[in-house]
Amino acid sequence: MSPRQMKLGLFLWATGHHIAAWRHPKAHVTAGIDIGHYIQLARTAEAAKLDMIFCEDAAGLREANVGIASQTSRSIGFEPISLLSAIAVQTGRIGLVSTASTSYNEPYGLARTFASLDQLSGGRAGWNLVTSASNIEAANFGSMGLRSHADRYERAREFAAVVAGLWRGAGSGGLNHDGQSFSVRDALDLPRSPQGAPVMVQAGASEDGKDLAARTADVVFSAAQTFEEAKAFYDDVKGRLAAYGRTSGDVKIMPGVAPVVAATEPEARAKHEELQELIPDEVGVALLSSYLSISDLWRYPIDGPLPELPESEGMKSRQALVVEQSRRDGLSIRQLARHFAGARGHWRIVGTPAQIADELQARFEGGAADGFNVMPSWFPGELDAFCALVVPELQRRGLFRTEYEGRTLREHLGLKGPASAA
Ligand SMILES: Cc1cc2nc3c(=O)[nH]c(=O)nc-3n(C[C@H](O)[C@H](O)[C@H](O)COP(=O)(O)O)c2cc1C
């Protein structure tokens, strides 16, 4: 028996994380606006005793070209906190984590929304703090365009501190904050959270992102391809904690993983190929371009190498990850786009339950992860397969719980109390 057990989250994404998931023969094409679909997924994850479900967000379409957007697996969907509020009353234990932007909200309103989700779910809420890197989103908020990376993080640091202050002060006095971007004078109209404060999640991987995570986050999501990349990220973030008076156990690092599982390896490979065959090249290249923050990638020969790119003001870390992979594996734009379309740069494992459990175990025990954010390639089939085949294998190995130990998300994650957001 392993004394330490891994944490597992389910990363929700309408029809599935593979960009061609909506074209799978068994896909549920209108999944994005079917509440019954989401409730079913949440219940499946809860029956498997997963720690949490996670909803990403961007207030806008992910792709400016509507012809391309209409061919992807996540072009329509609910605003996620509304969605999680509905899921909250249809589930009892599983954690409910949603993204919300520090660029397009004010801290008092957001603190109140998450405090409400936390109360109505009995202490199961978590907030994934993002700085919002997309131009498309910026254009929806009447701004002068995307603010610089440094400005976004400066605002995010102050935002996080105000929210944490409101959560900590909920039910008692008030907050008296007069800062660079925000001024807040009041307390929340809600009692203190059943779990102390909603769980704070972050996924930025730039220097500013990792530093803010070390200061404030309880959970860190990341994208990594190789063991070495995952381990370097893990050591880097954990190494920053001491500067903020925190210890390694205070933060759970959960990289994304996109498993494709079947009883035999050839079956798993065939399932994976079936989806790969459904990717139109222009859709794959458009997705890759958006994560690389380059608008004219399609101008370059598709069977040639990735061109030199200017440093991004968008998602710096994901751009670096993709460039590193293209150079390391000598991939053409077409090959890279096809690879990227499967899980947007996250780690993909194709194999039997034992092979997948071996790989997860190696990263977990090798000190590269505290758990994983699971990204099924299509819903519900690949989630069902993960819960039916991989979870029992991890449980047999003593690597994952067979029953919830507590009621709140903080208890599931083994987190003591709210992080200090100084
Ligand atoms: C697993 C994962 C989930 C993410 N979810 C979101 C999201 O929902 N919305 C968003 O705007 N950014 C999301 N991001 C992006 C990051 O949170 C961050 O904003 C981006 O990487 C830019 O920050 P950086 O330059 O510090 O990496 C996600 C990243 C990862 C790895």
Side-chain angles (χ1 to χ4, degrees):
M1 284 280 283
S2 162
R4 179 174 154 254
Q5 292 196 322
M6 62 177 70
K7 307 298 166 194
L8 291 176
L10 166 64
F11 190 162
L12 283 183
W13 189 278
T15 47
H17 285 273
H18 195 288
I19 195 133
W22 68 283
R23 299 185 66 196
H24 188 279
K26 293 192 187 145
H28 179 31
V29 178
T30 55
I33 46 162
D34 180 348
I35 182 62
H37 168 76
Y38 285 113
I39 289 169
Q40 184 199 334
L41 301 181
R43 286 184 171 155
T44 301
E46 187 167 71
K49 319 296 177 200
L50 265 50
D51 293 77
M52 60 184 152
I53 52 184
F54 163 58
C55 292
E56 56 78 51
D57 193 35
L61 287 174
R62 307 297 193 279
E63 166 59 54
N65 180 328
V66 177
I68 300 273
S70 65
Q71 297 185 64
T72 69
S73 63
R74 170 69 173 91
S75 46
I76 51 166
F78 296 116
E79 183 286 311
I81 307 176
S82 313
L83 172 63
L84 288 180
S85 303
I87 293 176
V89 295
Q90 299 288 336
T91 52
R93 289 292 184 95
I94 196 155
L96 307 165
V97 177
S98 172
T99 292
S101 173
T102 53
S103 295
Y104 308 121
N105 286 289
E106 285 273 322
Y108 189 90
L110 204 65
R112 186 170 180 242
T113 304
F114 277 100
S116 296
L117 179 63
D118 204 45
Q119 290 291 338
L120 66 87
S121 65
R124 294 187 282 139
W127 169 35
N128 176 36
L129 176 164
V130 298
T131 52
S132 295
S134 124
N135 276 309
I136 298 177
E137 239 178 321
N140 286 338
F141 288 86
S143 72
M144 296 155 298
L146 192 61
R147 267 180 286 208
S148 76
H149 193 268
D151 283 357
R152 297 200 308 273
Y153 269 104
E154 193 179 313
R155 181 179 161 101
R157 277 190 290 274
E158 189 183 341
F159 199 119
V162 176
V163 169
L166 286 164
W167 284 344
R168 246 185 265 122
S172 59
L175 188 75
N176 198 1
H177 175 88
D178 228 335
Q180 177 100 359
S181 303
F182 310 109
S183 164
V184 176
R185 288 274 170 278
D186 202 1
L188 293 179
D189 55 348
L190 285 156
R192 194 173 162 84
S193 159
Q195 55 177 340
V199 167
M200 283 278 273
V201 182
Q202 265 168 70
S206 61
E207 288 302 306
D208 277 342
K210 287 183 285 197
D211 207 62
L212 183 59
R215 188 195 285 239
T216 62
D218 298 305
V219 174
V220 177
F221 292 154
S222 62
Q225 293 283 326
T226 63
F227 176 87
E228 288 69 29
E229 281 168 1
K231 173 86 180 136
F233 180 84
Y234 187 96
D235 290 344
D236 184 347
V237 173
K238 297 262 174 169
R240 292 171 194 244
L241 295 174
Y244 300 105
R246 307 181 71 200
T247 61
S248 177
D250 293 341
V251 177
K252 305 293 171 193
I253 298 186
M254 299 174 64
V257 63
V260 180
V261 61
T264 67
E265 194 180 327
E267 255 180 276
R269 298 216 165 276
K271 279 210 300 184
H272 178 55
E273 264 316 302
E274 186 182 7
L275 276 170
Q276 290 296 95
E277 289 304 316
L278 297 174
I279 309 167
D281 277 335
E282 69 273 22
V283 173
V285 172
L287 180 74
L288 186 62
S289 320
S290 69
Y291 277 78
L292 290 174
S293 312
I294 172 173
S295 56
D296 60 352
L297 190 57
W298 56 272
R299 285 182 199 279
Y300 295 86
I302 192 164
D303 290 313
L306 201 61
E308 288 299 323
L309 300 172
E311 192 178 332
S312 170
E313 275 301 313
M315 293 178 64
K316 287 187 190 295
S317 50
R318 198 69 61 92
Q319 186 194 64
L321 181 142
V322 174
V323 170
E324 157 64 21
Q325 188 186 12
S326 79
R327 308 282 181 252
R328 183 183 64 231
D329 299 340
L331 300 180
S332 67
I333 292 176
R334 191 197 308 270
Q335 289 167 325
L336 201 58
R338 283 175 65 79
H339 186 82
F340 197 75
R344 304 185 303 285
H346 290 268
W347 181 36
R348 201 163 6 157
I349 331 174
V350 182
T352 64
Q355 287 171 323
I356 290 179
D358 285 348
E359 296 269 358
L360 297 179
Q361 183 167 5
R363 288 207 183 181
F364 175 65
E365 291 181 345
D370 295 312
F372 301 95
N373 199 13
V374 180
M375 305 169 58
S377 56
W378 68 277
F379 287 117
E382 213 53 60
L383 171 65
D384 292 342
F386 181 81
C387 292
L389 300 172
V390 180
V391 170
E393 181 61 29
L394 294 171
Q395 289 169 329
R396 255 191 301 280
R397 298 179 186 198
L399 289 164
F400 189 62
R401 70 167 68 83
T402 52
E403 244 334 306
Y404 286 112
E405 305 85 16
R407 294 211 81 87
T408 69
L409 177 54
R410 235 168 239 288
E411 285 167 348
H412 301 339
L413 293 169
L415 293 167
K416 289 193 297 277
S420 70

